[in-house]
Amino acid sequence: MQTFIQQLTQVLGQKYILTQDQDKAPFLTDWRKRFSGKALAIVLPASTTEVARIVQLCAEYRIAIVPQGGHTGFCGGATPDSSGNQIVLNLKRMNRIHGVDIANQTITVEAGCILQAIQENAAAQGFLFPLSLGAEGSCMIGGNLATNAGGTNVLRYGNARDLCLGLEVVTAKGEVWNGLKGLRKDNTGYDLRDLFIGSEGTLGIITSAVMKLYPLPISQWTTLVATENVSATIALLNLFQKRATSLLTGFEMMTQESLALNAKHFPQLKNPLGDKTPFSILIELSDHESEAHVRQLLEGILEEAFAADIITDAVIANNLAQANTFWHMREHITLAQAEEGANLKHDITIPLSSLDKFISETDALMRSKFPGVRIINFGHLGDGNLHYNIAPPEGVDQKVFNLTYEKAIHELVYGQVERFHGSISAEHGVGQLKLADLRAHKGNVAHDLMKSLKQALDPQNILNPHKVVSI
Ligand SMILES: Cc1cc2nc3c(=O)[nH]c(=O)nc-3n(C[C@H](O)[C@H](O)[C@H](O)COP(=O)(O)OP(=O)(O)OC[C@H]3O[C@@H](n4cnc5c(N)ncnc54)[C@H](O)[C@@H]3O)c2cc1C
């Protein structure tokens, strides 16, 4: 091991290999504080050449590598195991923006760029980089691509996969695949880019990417709307899809229970629709015409929704500050949950046509089998994506509750997801959290294909082993 560290030092210099416990500690526990591990060292490369050299050394010494970006992932994918034999390869020093190609409408960035920095750089040049999520101030584009992150704009612009035109990746052998072409059409056989996106560091290390840009919208209107139930909410979504078409850029659902957590932990974030609203829906329209054009359209759709008894109340944000407050309400639910303590998260998708039935049946089953549990259900409803989270009954110890009921609650939710032809991971990935669940729910053929890919691309199993799929 000593020789391995010495050779690493020759590549990076001592400063960028952390081996002391106090230096390693910030990299070893995930954002939720759910997973903690140990590491031989934290390595901080500054270039693709350095990443390639590190991987070559790891291949030679058979040392496992855990790639890490902002460490905001929810599935423990970027946290090492407890052996102390793995290295964490954190990409934060690879944070250069190579530039915007105005004619191609793309931006080329290194994997360690913070998402918000990319958004700001694009905006300064008149472009929108639409990937947006609550962790955007700390997550990195490499992590976003490795998890195929979603967020609040998927409805209009797609997830990280849809926004990516090219990648540079260091393979398990330490070779560099340069796929940074930025093409919108390229049918030259297997799509390697799509293979690495969403692979959570198990097939290669993403070092750079070419991402799509869009013209910045000229006007945006945000509204908060009250509905009585899920079927009315879906009718409202369909109405907006029909009338606003591509101007609809956000459609988020927040239940009364999820906003009650905000009221408890962030009382400054008051719901203008009141505390008793069963479903508060956050809707955003973005336009390239005048403010008046989109405002008129929004008011027209809301009038139609009132007339059809789909909605019971609506508040339109009068300025950017108010619109931001509406978005803060949505984004703070995750933070309020973290304040409240550990909860059982389920990041799932259900076809919109079955969503109403899924929620009513699953809620009823949950309440009958686990009386008193709090169902914190919110999400990117426009994509059929629910964060169907379960908190223990008030006053019950969270650790004891989770230890006792975690397996049974996951089985209940994922059983229902399967029955309604949904997915057990919509946007957060698999990591170590859902390794066994993926095996149980992916289907044998798909799971075997995934194992074959892993074996082919990483036969020594040194890239993030025992995450996503075990070989
Ligand atoms: C408050 C909050 C809100 C969130 N909201 C959303 C949301 O709306 N939508 C959503 O999708 N997610 C959301 N997340 C989850 C998280 O932010 C995303 O999964 C994000 O994409 C992770 O990026 P990261 O840089 O933190 O990656 P990390 O957590 O560091 O890593 C995630 C995975 O990617 C791998 N990885 C990281 N970098 C690389 C690389 N360069 N090459 C190869 N593999 C790599 C890691 O090994 C790990 O398996 C939220 C998280 C928080 C804390």
Side-chain angles (χ1 to χ4, degrees):
M1 252 5 132
Q2 216 42 41
T3 337
F4 169 71
I5 297 285
Q6 274 165 5
Q7 292 201 22
L8 267 186
T9 313
Q10 281 167 13
V11 178
L12 292 178
Q14 205 151 20
K15 190 172 167 198
Y16 298 114
I17 302 168
L18 314 180
T19 52
Q20 300 300 313
D21 286 348
Q22 70 274 18
D23 298 331
K24 291 191 282 184
F27 300 86
L28 299 178
T29 300
D30 73 327
W31 186 88
R32 286 176 70 196
K33 300 193 172 46
R34 158 133 202 180
F35 297 100
S36 241
K38 292 186 186 151
L40 188 59
I42 314 296
V43 299
L44 303 164
S47 69
T48 303
T49 313
E50 286 184 359
V51 175
R53 193 65 199 109
I54 295 164
V55 178
Q56 286 160 13
L57 281 175
C58 287
E60 189 183 330
Y61 287 88
R62 292 201 169 221
I63 304 275
I65 305 165
V66 180
Q68 190 180 82
H71 212 180
T72 65
F74 283 146
C75 299
T79 316
D81 67 15
S82 57
S83 67
N85 295 328
Q86 305 186 320
I87 62 158
V88 170
L89 190 153
N90 184 293
L91 288 119
K92 69 176 180 175
R93 289 180 67 222
M94 292 186 60
N95 59 1
R96 282 164 291 243
I97 294 184
H98 290 308
V100 167
D101 180 337
I102 292 178
N104 204 35
Q105 308 232 325
T106 52
I107 187 165
T108 303
V109 293
E110 286 186 342
C113 287
I114 300 277
L115 174 56
Q116 195 174 334
I118 302 175
Q119 295 165 347
E120 287 170 359
N121 190 288
Q125 303 186 61
F127 287 105
L128 171 74
F129 179 56
L131 189 65
S132 177
L133 42 132
E136 63 198 20
S138 25
C139 62
M140 297 175 193
I141 194 70
N144 300 146
L145 287 162
T147 55
N148 186 25
T152 51
N153 281 330
V154 174
L155 182 62
R156 165 70 179 86
Y157 298 100
N159 44 29
R161 184 188 302 284
D162 301 303
L163 294 169
C164 181
L165 291 179
L167 286 182
E168 178 187 73
V169 174
V170 172
T171 69
K173 282 189 198 160
E175 293 173 333
V176 179
W177 169 57
N178 185 330
L180 291 173
K181 282 185 176 164
L183 302 175
R184 284 174 172 78
K185 284 190 170 181
D186 179 10
N187 272 351
T188 49
Y190 306 141
D191 195 326
L192 299 177
R193 178 194 61 201
D194 269 356
L195 199 55
F196 291 112
I197 296 174
S199 68
E200 300 182 53
T202 61
L203 300 181
I205 298 172
I206 297 168
T207 45
S208 284
V210 184
M211 306 300 297
K212 282 186 202 167
L213 297 176
Y214 291 83
L216 263 182
I218 289 169
S219 51
Q220 265 177 336
W221 284 100
T222 310
T223 178
L224 262 184
V225 176
T227 63
E228 289 290 318
N229 51 48
V230 178
S231 69
T233 308
I234 290 171
L236 181 67
L237 170 67
N238 292 155
L239 178 65
F240 267 91
Q241 285 169 322
K242 186 172 151 212
R243 293 280 315 277
T245 61
S246 63
L247 302 194
L248 178 62
T249 47
F251 196 98
E252 301 284 320
M253 178 186 84
M254 301 171 279
T255 55
Q256 188 179 354
E257 293 82 357
S258 48
L259 288 177
L261 279 186
N262 270 2
K264 183 168 168 192
H265 297 286
F266 302 103
Q268 72 278 19
L269 292 173
K270 296 222 177 313
N271 183 357
L273 298 169
D275 296 341
K276 302 269 179 286
T277 309
F279 294 87
S280 300
I281 315 301
L282 173 55
I283 302 166
E284 183 188 77
L285 298 188
S286 308
D287 199 358
H288 293 91
E289 291 192 38
S290 66
E291 297 241 333
H293 175 261
V294 69
R295 169 98 194 196
Q296 206 180 2
L297 176 71
L298 177 59
E299 285 173 353
I301 301 172
L302 291 178
E303 272 168 30
E304 201 175 319
F306 271 119
D309 281 336
I310 298 173
I311 64 176
T312 54
D313 199 358
V315 183
I316 297 177
N318 275 324
N319 49 45
L320 189 62
Q322 204 181 1
N324 286 341
T325 319
F326 292 179
W327 278 107
H328 286 157
M329 276 172 57
R330 165 66 184 84
E331 280 152 9
H332 275 69
I333 299 173
T334 309
L335 306 178
Q337 280 191 285
E339 291 291 320
E340 184 75 4
N343 58 83
L344 301 174
K345 287 193 188 298
H346 306 95
D347 161 45
I348 56 177
T349 6
I350 302 292
L352 279 167
S353 39
S354 311
L355 201 66
D356 185 16
K357 209 160 175 227
F358 170 86
I359 293 178
S360 57
E361 276 191 19
T362 313
D363 282 4
L365 277 172
M366 193 64 71
R367 293 208 161 95
S368 73
K369 292 202 168 156
F370 308 99
V373 290
R374 287 168 292 161
I375 302 174
I376 314 298
N377 184 6
F378 62 100
H380 313 298
L381 191 109
D383 318 318
N385 181 184
L386 293 183
H387 297 313
Y388 191 89
N389 300 338
I390 306 297
E394 290 281 2
V396 171
D397 184 276
Q398 287 146 350
K399 278 202 179 122
V400 175
F401 178 84
N402 289 352
L403 270 176
T404 319
Y405 298 113
E406 176 166 12
K407 193 164 175 282
I409 288 180
H410 286 333
E411 273 174 13
L412 190 161
V413 177
Y414 294 149
Q416 285 288 95
V417 167
E418 193 147 305
R419 209 164 83 65
F420 284 91
H421 309 293
S423 168
I424 62 159
S425 179
E427 58 173 12
H428 294 160
V430 178
Q432 48 184 305
L433 178 72
K434 294 186 182 174
L435 186 74
D437 300 312
L438 184 95
R439 204 191 156 79
H441 293 278
K442 188 80 183 172
N444 287 342
V445 175
H447 195 257
D448 285 351
L449 283 170
M450 284 176 65
K451 276 171 70 171
S452 307
L453 284 169
K454 172 73 176 164
Q455 259 149 354
L457 294 188
D458 180 21
Q460 291 200 97
N461 199 18
I462 58 166
L463 291 178
N464 223 0
H466 309 300
K467 312 277 173 58
V468 185
V469 64
S470 277
I471 54 169

